[in-house]
Amino acid sequence: MQIPLSLAEKFLLSARRLRTARARVLKDKTLIYGALEPGNVYLVEKGYVRLGTTQTNGGVATRALLGRAAIFGDLPFCPAPFAQDGVAVASGETHVLELKRPALEAAVQNDEAVHQILLEIYGLQYRFLERRLQWQFVMPLEKRIATVLLDLMCFGGKPCPHHPGYALDIRLTHQELSEIVLAARSNVTPIMNTFRAQNVIAYSRAYICLRTLDRLSDIAGSVVMARDASLRSSSAQYPPIYAKTQ
């Protein structure tokens, strides 16, 4: 998920002012933490973070992708988690702010503006997780994959140099995609191949290009689209760079 730009700027600015804030620049696949560390909170400044669980073979099963200004770790004002086996890994070069939970909680309590910002951030992350719970148990796999591909647009992108459309700014293997949609890779790859054959997407090991957002939205259905059918073809539902593709 990605936080709206204006809100992200306010949150990061407030966090950088804390005396305990420590900026870290991480290379691709760098482990941020292998188990939740009590007292440590993290904010994504630039790049992406994969949250997941460690598998028996040592790999990381992706459960969520976080973008700029997303907060993770030992979250302020939240009860201690009952399990601490989650991991956080940098996806590409990533900049994070490491904060101390007590310092952030004090700033929130002493500054009404920071209080409001944190509430909005929590609200956005809660809605994202709620939506994920709604679709992961009831939607057919084809719809889940289309929904995730549309969600990934929030991370930004650029015109694809290989095909008409836009290349996602974040690299994602079929294995990582299968972990996010809670399915086996052997079931995800044929659907991706079908999307490619239908000219909905194009992909290689290096990129994923979304060629027609309207078609992806049709596949995803009402979970992605506004309930008002009159908005179905409106470019307002896409980030600015993703004006309706042909």
Side-chain angles (χ1 to χ4, degrees), residues 17 36 86 92 102 139 147 155 165 177 189-190 196 220 225 234 241:
R17 290 173 177 165
L36 190 61
M139 289 176 64
T147 300
F155 292 124
L177 179 60
T189 296
R196 181 165 60 180
M225 304 301 291
S234 170
I241 191 172

Side-chain angles (χ1 to χ4, degrees), residues 21-33:
R22 182 166 74 97
R24 297 173 58 183
V25 179
L26 308 168
K27 294 182 179 179
D28 183 35
K29 294 182 173 61
T30 297
L31 185 68
I32 300 171
Y33 58 73

Side-chain angles (χ1 to χ4, degrees), residues 21 27 42 65 99 116 175 190 213 224:
K27 294 182 179 179
Y42 302 88
L65 287 165
L99 309 169
Q116 181 63 32
Q175 180 59 42
L213 304 181
V224 172

Side-chain angles (χ1 to χ4, degrees), residues 42-243:
Y42 302 88
L43 272 64
V44 183
E45 279 198 290
K46 179 182 177 182
Y48 316 104
V49 170
R50 285 196 294 142
L51 298 184
T53 55
T54 303
Q55 299 176 304
T56 54
N57 63 4
V60 175
T62 303
R63 292 292 175 259
L65 287 165
L66 303 180
R68 193 164 187 259
I71 184 171
F72 62 102
D74 190 8
L75 298 176
F77 305 107
C78 291
F82 64 88
Q84 300 189 0
D85 58 350
V87 300
V89 180
S91 184
E93 182 177 285
T94 303
H95 298 220
V96 300
L97 277 178
E98 182 179 324
L99 309 169
K100 294 303 179 183
R101 172 173 166 163
L104 183 53
E105 289 179 340
V108 170
Q109 290 173 329
N110 295 328
D111 190 322
E112 183 61 32
V114 179
H115 182 194
Q116 181 63 32
I117 290 169
L118 183 62
L119 282 177
E120 291 185 48
I121 296 287
Y122 273 175
L124 287 168
Q125 295 195 184
Y126 171 78
R127 284 168 54 195
F128 174 81
L129 293 174
E130 182 183 42
R131 179 164 171 246
R132 176 178 169 84
L133 286 172
Q134 287 175 346
W135 62 252
Q136 72 181 27
F137 295 115
V138 298
M139 289 176 64
L141 182 56
E142 181 184 65
K143 289 180 176 286
R144 300 206 303 266
I145 293 173
T147 300
V148 167
L149 292 175
L150 286 169
D151 280 346
L152 290 175
M153 290 194 312
C154 72
F155 292 124
K158 56 188 177 181
C160 182
H162 311 95
H163 306 276
Y166 288 89
L168 295 175
D169 192 39
I170 184 168
R171 293 183 63 178
L172 196 69
T173 66
H174 282 196
Q175 180 59 42
E176 291 166 342
L177 179 60
S178 69
E179 292 163 359
I180 294 173
V181 299
L182 305 177
R185 178 180 174 179
S186 58
N187 294 328
V188 169
T189 296
I191 292 175
M192 291 289 284
N193 289 339
T194 298
F195 286 175
R196 181 165 60 180
Q198 294 172 345
N199 213 28
V200 175
I201 65 171
Y203 69 83
S204 71
R205 291 186 177 182
Y207 66 88
I208 297 178
C209 173
L210 306 186
R211 303 198 65 178
T212 165
L213 304 181
D214 286 345
R215 179 67 183 118
L216 265 181
S217 296
D218 287 340
I219 295 169
S222 60
V223 172
V224 172
M225 304 301 291
R227 293 188 182 276
D228 184 351
S230 66
L231 298 179
R232 196 170 181 80
S233 297
S234 170
S235 61
Q237 55 199 298
Y238 306 134
I241 191 172
Y242 293 99

